Amino acid sequence: MVSTLDDTKRLSIARKLAEMRSVQDFLITNEKRFITSVSDQKVRERFQSMLEDDQKNLGVLDTAIVQYGVRAEPSETVNQMIQKAEEMMSGSQLSLFEKVFQHEALKHQQVMTGLLIHKAAQKVGADVEAAITPINTVNFENRAHQEQLKGVLEVLGVRELTGQEADQGLWARVQDAVAALSGVAGSVMTQSSDKSDMNLQDVIRMDHQKVNVLFGEIANSDDPRKIEEYFGQLYKDLMVHAEAEEQVVYPAVRPFYGDSDVQELYDEQAQMKTMLDQIKATNPGTQGFKDAVNRLKDIVMDHVRQEESTMFTAIRNNCSSEQSEQLATEFKAAKDRLQQQMSASMK
Ligand SMILES: [Fe+2]
Ligand SMILES: [Fe+2]
């Protein structure tokens, strides 16, 4: 098996995710500037609520990036585009209307990038779709923001051109457009509305589900190249998940879950890691490869069942929801660190 496990298509999606994150960051900077420079209270309130959504969605994007498990930097083109836009937005040449006009164009770009990632994921694999599900909320909210920005542009544009106020009823119309969008997006919104404060059990379960999808993809494929790609992802996901549990979760649960149960989890993961390395050195086109993956699957699923039954119960009984959410944050941060180390060591 080749030593670099990064598949080109997966890497391209990772790059788009990184670019979406950079643009999201820039949108936030702009909105903060608009809030301090706009005197119209109604317009300011729009930007305020948009800013709150966008800050929450930056967190959602971070979660999706860690969950996706492949790292890339934004392209130079996007970096330069943001730099140019920053010069325009912070300079004094453009009127407020023109700046909001640029902002709306960036929102549009963000919506299209999000949709593109969503469509591309459907082509690459079910595990990719599972990992990036949270960004559907970001897409829908950005789409709703576009409608609100159209309203803001109308108000500011009429004022700049005529010195008069736009027609009454404008905000009601914008609200209707947003409501129509939320209607379409309703199920997605509610499904992931609390993504920003997931507890430890939620984030661990999400990883377990993704691993399960990857085992399924390997079992259902006869194409050695696809099998290699899926295993490459499985290898990274399992290594990072196990290591992050050993750094954050197991030490935290040991006092109430007990030494012997925690030791069992450590031992199983040691065995898992050895098997992963053995399989990695095997030819993915052989029956031996699939047999070894099946043995690994049995061990991983046993291990997962123990974590999701007795360990989760122990966490529920001994940690407050704040503590469990705090552990979730630390667990995600550990995964983030480990993924970056892993992609650096593969270069
Ligand atoms: Fe584990
Ligand atoms: Fe686990």
Side-chain angles (χ1 to χ4, degrees):
M1 182 176 270
V2 286
S3 60
T4 162
L5 295 161
D6 267 341
D7 176 80
T8 328
K9 283 172 284 179
R10 283 172 189 257
L11 206 54
S12 317
I13 292 179
R15 172 158 303 120
K16 283 281 165 239
L17 278 168
E19 291 172 359
M20 207 175 159
R21 196 197 179 283
S22 296
V23 171
Q24 189 74 12
D25 220 14
F26 184 56
L27 289 168
I28 289 172
T29 310
N30 282 340
E31 283 153 13
K32 285 183 182 158
R33 267 195 293 246
F34 289 140
I35 290 166
T36 53
S37 62
V38 170
S39 51
D40 184 310
Q41 196 196 337
K42 270 215 162 104
V43 171
R44 204 167 51 229
E45 280 166 8
R46 299 276 147 182
F47 279 120
Q48 188 61 49
S49 77
M50 213 174 283
L51 174 66
E52 282 160 21
D53 288 347
D54 278 336
Q55 282 170 328
K56 181 203 72 177
N57 286 340
L58 188 67
V60 173
L61 276 170
D62 280 334
T63 303
I65 287 170
V66 171
Q67 182 68 8
Y68 181 51
V70 183
R71 286 316 181 101
E73 294 295 322
S75 68
E76 219 15 67
T77 331
V78 167
N79 285 340
Q80 284 168 4
M81 186 276 294
I82 291 176
Q83 205 183 332
K84 273 208 183 106
E86 167 60 29
E87 283 165 22
M88 278 199 299
M89 296 302 233
S90 59
S92 52
Q93 283 204 316
L94 298 190
S95 71
L96 181 61
F97 169 80
E98 288 167 327
K99 285 181 180 175
V100 178
F101 192 80
Q102 294 301 324
H103 191 71
E104 199 273 337
L106 280 165
K107 271 280 173 200
H108 178 74
Q109 178 182 339
Q110 191 73 331
V111 169
M112 290 314 296
T113 308
L115 289 176
L116 176 67
I117 292 170
H118 180 70
K119 291 287 168 197
Q122 293 173 341
K123 291 283 163 197
V124 179
D127 62 294
V128 179
E129 280 187 87
I132 59 133
T133 302
I135 72 160
N136 290 338
T137 321
V138 183
N139 293 345
F140 279 117
E141 289 191 356
N142 277 330
R143 190 65 195 80
H145 291 169
Q146 264 189 288
E147 291 307 311
Q148 293 172 344
L149 286 166
K150 284 182 198 165
V152 171
L153 280 170
E154 212 174 303
V155 168
L156 296 176
V158 170
R159 207 177 280 159
E160 272 183 31
L161 283 173
T162 68
Q164 288 176 303
E165 291 306 306
D167 284 344
Q168 295 288 315
L170 169 68
W171 292 122
R173 227 163 56 230
V174 168
Q175 223 30 63
D176 283 350
V178 170
L181 271 171
S182 328
V184 178
S187 55
V188 182
M189 299 272 220
T190 42
Q191 186 196 334
S192 41
S193 59
D194 54 354
K195 277 283 182 292
S196 51
D197 41 17
M198 283 185 294
N199 64 25
L200 182 63
Q201 299 94 297
D202 294 332
V203 288
I204 292 181
R205 202 180 288 113
M206 255 166 69
D207 280 0
H208 291 167
Q209 278 163 358
K210 189 181 170 199
V211 162
N212 198 16
V213 170
L214 280 162
F215 275 123
E217 283 177 312
I218 295 173
N220 294 329
S221 178
D222 293 320
D223 175 358
R225 288 180 55 185
K226 278 314 260 186
I227 293 176
E228 184 178 8
E229 176 194 329
Y230 293 138
F231 179 75
Q233 191 62 50
L234 180 75
Y235 180 92
K236 280 189 284 192
D237 285 351
L238 268 178
M239 283 290 191
V240 166
H241 176 84
E243 193 59 38
E245 282 181 341
E246 289 176 22
Q247 287 182 9
V248 175
V249 183
Y250 297 169
V253 302
R254 193 189 280 278
F256 52 79
Y257 187 45
D259 280 337
S260 68
D261 279 334
V262 170
Q263 195 51 49
E264 200 182 322
L265 293 176
Y266 273 105
D267 293 344
E268 285 167 356
Q269 294 203 154
Q271 193 188 359
M272 244 169 55
K273 289 176 192 171
T274 310
M275 287 179 82
L276 278 166
D277 279 321
Q278 282 166 351
I279 299 171
K280 194 175 159 191
T282 311
N283 182 344
T286 60
Q287 189 55 42
F289 185 93
K290 279 205 169 182
D291 291 343
V293 169
N294 275 333
R295 281 195 299 277
L296 174 69
K297 184 186 175 184
D298 288 341
I299 289 171
V300 170
M301 287 307 145
D302 259 356
H303 178 83
V304 160
R305 266 189 293 276
Q306 181 183 341
E307 287 181 348
E308 294 195 1
S309 55
T310 54
M311 186 180 85
F312 278 12
T313 308
I315 295 172
R316 256 195 313 277
N317 292 341
N318 292 278
C319 296
S320 66
S321 35
E322 290 75 27
Q323 283 168 324
S324 177
E325 281 160 22
Q326 176 58 29
L327 282 169
T329 307
E330 287 170 29
F331 180 71
K332 280 192 280 184
K335 279 178 62 187
D336 189 17
R337 257 193 329 269
L338 290 159
Q339 283 174 351
Q340 303 211 26
Q341 280 167 15
M342 200 180 245
S343 72
S345 71
M346 276 175 10
K347 275 178 190 140

